[in-house]
Amino acid sequence: MTHDSTDKPRRRGRPPKVARDDPDTRAALLRSGLEVLTEHGFTVSGIDGILKRVGVPKGSFYYYFDSKEAFGRAVMEQYGAYFAAKLDRHLGDDSRPPLARLEAFVEDAAAGMARHDFRRGCLVGNLGQEAGSLPQGYREWLQATLADWQRRLAHCLHEAQAIGELAESADCDRLSEAFWIGWEGAVMRARLERGPRPLDTFITTYMQGLPR
């Protein structure tokens, strides 16, 4: 939807909203927000820094988002969709045995962290560490997202069980939950060390501990 800039007089004291709907601008804002939030988290990240990365005026921001909280929700939703697609691509890869799919996911995720010199982590993990200071509703989203990831991995583990890669007695739901608990910790440690060692240690130990 477009508007003529002469429709309304500009109000003094705050930046005017951008008078056009540009999907590229919104996408650039979300991309910048994702970069900042995966590197610094929500609480300490300011709107000005996000705008500076993409050279977008503040008026453009408020054209698309009513507040930082609304912007954060949009970033979270985009990240959730992106990560779910990544999981489906790896865990649903029928060309590999189920457990090899999990290892491929970890390898891909580690390569992604390495591309950014291990400065960026998982948005869900980052926000989880700020749970006490997040806006209302964020915690529920984080819990629902983790539960969704657990279901996707549990399905893959059940496939592994069906073909004999895992013991019949294996509790796939519990093993999936344990993976994500350990994975988020490994990602945090990899950022701390600026290297892949914690990710390698985690996946090796996890795979060795699976009931066969």
Side-chain angles (χ1 to χ4, degrees), residues 75-160:
V75 172
M76 287 156 52
E77 289 171 3
Q78 179 163 298
Y79 182 83
Y82 153 79
F83 204 86
K86 179 191 284 285
L87 286 175
D88 288 346
R89 185 170 68 252
H90 288 293
L91 301 184
D93 182 3
D94 292 336
S95 69
R96 299 173 183 264
L99 294 184
R101 301 173 200 170
L102 178 57
E103 291 178 307
F105 159 74
V106 171
E107 182 178 350
D108 181 39
M113 292 189 71
R115 282 195 298 273
H116 301 289
D117 194 29
F118 293 90
R119 295 190 311 273
R120 299 179 190 171
C122 171
L123 180 63
V124 171
N126 285 6
L127 296 182
Q129 294 177 62
E130 303 178 82
S133 59
L134 292 176
Q136 186 175 6
Y138 275 38
R139 289 182 62 177
E140 288 77 3
W141 181 88
L142 293 171
Q143 291 175 318
T145 299
L146 284 169
D148 176 67
W149 294 356
Q150 288 174 200
R151 284 192 294 271
R152 292 171 193 270
L153 177 55
H155 180 77
C156 182
L157 295 178
H158 279 296
E159 288 190 56

Side-chain angles (χ1 to χ4, degrees), residues 147-199:
D148 176 67
W149 294 356
Q150 288 174 200
R151 284 192 294 271
R152 292 171 193 270
L153 177 55
H155 180 77
C156 182
L157 295 178
H158 279 296
E159 288 190 56
Q161 192 175 46
I163 66 171
E165 283 193 311
L166 290 179
E168 291 184 8
S169 60
D171 185 339
C172 294
D173 294 330
R174 189 175 181 84
L175 289 172
S176 179
E177 181 180 10
F179 174 86
W180 291 111
I181 291 172
W183 174 252
E184 292 298 340
V187 169
M188 180 180 66
R189 185 73 174 265
R191 291 184 68 201
L192 180 65
E193 295 186 9
R194 290 287 177 88
R197 190 196 63 81
L199 305 177

